[in-house]
Every structure is written in C-alpha cells, then in structure tokens.
Amino acid sequence: MAGGIEIREIEAFLVLAEELHFGRTGDRLYVSQSRVSQLLRALEHRVGARLVERTSRRVRLTPLGARFHASLTPAYAALRTAVDDTRAAAGDVAGTLRLGFQGSANDQLMDAIAAFESRHPGSAAEVGEVPFNDPFGPLRRGEVDAAIVLLPAEEPDVAVGPVFSRRRQTLAVSVRHPYADRAEITAEDLAACDLITVAGPAPDYWRRANAPERTPEGRAIPRGPAVRTLQEGLAGAAVGRGAMLLCEPTAEYHARRSLAFVPVTGLPMSALALTWLRNGSGPSARVAAFARALADTADPADDPEEH
C-alpha cells in the first residue's frame, strides 16, 4: 500500500485508462467487471475526487484522472522494474525455462522468448506443445515450468500471469460446408452446425468455454465429435465431421486448402495467458522474468474491439 492506496486499485485504474471499458479491464486483470468498479470507487474515495466518467455509452478519464494517469504511469513502471530486478537478483534466472504452449507459437511468444534470452544471458527457453485436451496437466506433472494456454484458467493451484492475444474467434469448416463462402457468421448460426468439442481431462468449464453448448440467446448447439488434439479437430472439420472454433492466429497458422475459416461475431474474444503452479511464494525468478518479457512485448494492435 502507498498512502493508504492499494496496488490493486492502481493496477485497475491504469488498465481502465488504457481500455476505457470495464469488461475488457476485468478480462486483463482476470477479475469481474463489478470488482473493477469496486477498486475504482475505492481509489476515488482515497484521492477524494472522480477519476473516471462513466455513462451507458462511453467511459473516459476526467481531467484530474488524466493528470493522475500521466503522473502515475512512470512511477508504477519504475516500481514494477524494481520488484522484477530484485526478484531476479534474489533468484536464479540463468538456466533453462521449460515453456509449454497450446495451439501455435505466435509472433508475440517468439518475441518474448528473444527478449527474455537477451535480457538474461545464460538463460534459454525450451518450448514444447501442451496437449489441446489437457491444458493444465503438464504443469501439475512437472513437465514444464510455465505454460501458455487458452483461457479461462480457474484452477485453484494455477496462477495466471500476463493475458494477451485477445482475438475474435473463427469457425473452421470444410470448404464444402454451407458456411464456407460466408464473409462472417453470428454466434446464433452455431445452432445449425455440429460443433467439434474437446475431450477430457480438460476441465468441463474450459471445454464449454472453447466449445459452447448454447448460443448467447440460449439455442442449443449440436455436439460434434470430441477430440484430443488440435490436428484431430482440424481433420474432422476438413472431412465434414463438424465445425471447430479457433482463435484467428491459430486459424491463420493452420490454413489449408480443405478448410475455410469464417469469422464469428457475438462470441467473447479468445485469449491466451501465461500460467504456472502456485507455490505460496509467487513465481520463480525465471518464470517472473519471462512474464515481464511477455508483458513488455504486448502488441496493442492484437487486441481489437469485441464483436
């Protein structure tokens, strides 16, 4: 705390100042929208003034809020750097970071690895794929030190770090599917196709989030085959066994002549996050150093407005 102000309140304000959207702020902080509102109210109470104006149509900083943001941003950045540097000095960053990933290793991940290895001579990231149907298993089995997985991640023993690559979802279908020539479809259109699902041991909530059972208006979405790997799902879609939801970067990476990838409006954006096992003392120095590199390589253009 600083002057009675909690760090979480400062973080909520800084992210809200960037997003100007309570829902997206909650997504980035991995808290509810109402929690963001509570943190903002607490901060405004402590400073004695309104920092944010919120109406049914827009969110914006007050003039005082804009001044506060301009003064606070460099101070908070310096604080984060001091904490990270001290943590790194106290621990051993040099060595191999075993890093797992789901889907495809996108450009931001590659940039983060390059930054991590450049900042910490003697360190290296060893990258391996996390099973599509077992996002948290490799962490628990000690096969990786950290893993980049599709959200949500609501496991009590798993900590969630930087969230990135918020992108709209696309539907992978056979080129012979009725949707293949559409410029886009809506979430309600999913009620008319068999949606390929994910087999266990992935948690039920994670499987439902990445292959929803109902449309936003409550219509049932038919169930297609349950797959264990991303390649099984893409193959099933290519031969017409069903359709599969994918984030845009994964769709772009796995483009092939037998598949069409159709943007879907009306669904929450997909997102990736760095995760590690909780141990009561925070992430290891090596994981913390990589988390900072990942956060620092964030691409604002990779976070479009939700459709």
Side-chain angles (χ1 to χ4, degrees):
M1 299 181 66
I5 296 176
E6 297 186 3
I7 292 297
R8 198 61 168 164
E9 296 167 5
I10 292 174
E11 292 173 339
F13 171 72
L14 290 175
V15 175
L16 183 60
E18 294 178 12
E19 297 288 350
L20 297 179
H21 189 284
F22 280 76
R24 290 196 297 272
T25 298
D27 289 342
R28 282 184 57 178
L29 296 173
Y30 218 65
V31 299
S32 67
Q33 182 172 324
S34 61
R35 179 58 178 157
V36 175
S37 297
Q38 291 171 0
L39 291 168
L40 176 63
R41 286 197 300 269
L43 178 60
E44 290 178 329
H45 177 74
R46 295 181 199 279
V47 301
R50 291 287 298 277
L51 301 173
V52 174
E53 292 179 353
R54 179 184 186 183
T55 69
S56 59
R57 302 185 62 181
R58 66 183 300 182
V59 176
R60 65 181 180 183
L61 298 180
T62 65
L64 185 62
R67 286 178 52 192
F68 185 52
H69 177 257
S71 300
L72 186 60
T73 299
Y76 180 71
L79 175 63
R80 283 189 56 185
T81 299
V83 171
D84 289 345
D85 289 349
T86 302
R87 181 179 286 154
D92 184 11
V93 177
T96 299
L97 173 70
R98 298 172 303 155
L99 182 65
F101 70 92
Q102 264 191 319
S104 59
N106 65 13
D107 290 340
Q108 184 178 347
L109 175 57
M110 295 296 99
D111 290 345
I113 290 173
F116 167 72
E117 294 180 345
S118 175
R119 293 176 183 179
H120 304 284
S123 67
E126 179 183 275
V127 183
E129 190 170 359
V130 170
F132 187 61
N133 69 328
D134 192 16
F136 310 113
L139 284 175
R140 291 173 174 144
R141 293 190 294 270
E143 297 168 0
V144 297
D145 303 311
I148 290 173
V149 300
L150 277 167
L151 292 177
E154 300 172 0
E155 306 299 288
D157 59 337
V158 174
V160 178
V163 178
F164 65 103
S165 194
R166 292 178 179 81
R167 302 293 295 272
R168 65 178 176 176
Q169 300 195 56
T170 64
L171 189 69
V173 296
S174 164
V175 292
R176 298 178 296 278
H177 193 279
Y179 291 164
D181 294 328
R182 298 268 291 270
E184 65 180 26
I185 63 172
T186 71
E188 296 305 314
D189 290 324
L190 296 177
C193 64
D194 295 338
L195 192 62
I196 292 173
T197 62
V198 184
D204 287 344
Y205 73 84
W206 189 92
R207 295 158 63 188
R208 289 193 299 270
N210 289 287
E213 297 175 343
R214 294 190 175 274
T215 70
E217 294 183 5
R219 300 167 65 196
I221 300 174
R223 302 285 86 184
V227 299
R228 296 169 299 171
T229 70
L230 180 60
Q231 292 303 322
E232 284 182 9
L234 292 171
V239 298
R241 299 289 185 267
M244 187 176 190
L245 282 173
L246 299 170
C247 65
E248 281 185 333
T250 299
E252 293 167 0
Y253 184 83
H254 291 283
R256 59 191 67 180
R257 289 180 296 175
S258 57
L259 286 171
F261 297 98
V262 187
V264 184
T265 64
L267 287 178
M269 289 186 288
S270 67
L272 297 171
L274 180 69
T275 61
W276 58 88
L277 278 186
R278 298 183 187 276
N279 61 12
S281 59
S284 69
R286 197 171 297 154
V287 171
F290 180 78
R292 178 57 185 270
L294 182 62
D296 288 347
T297 56
D299 181 2
D302 198 35
D303 192 7
E305 294 287 338
E306 184 173 355
H307 293 265

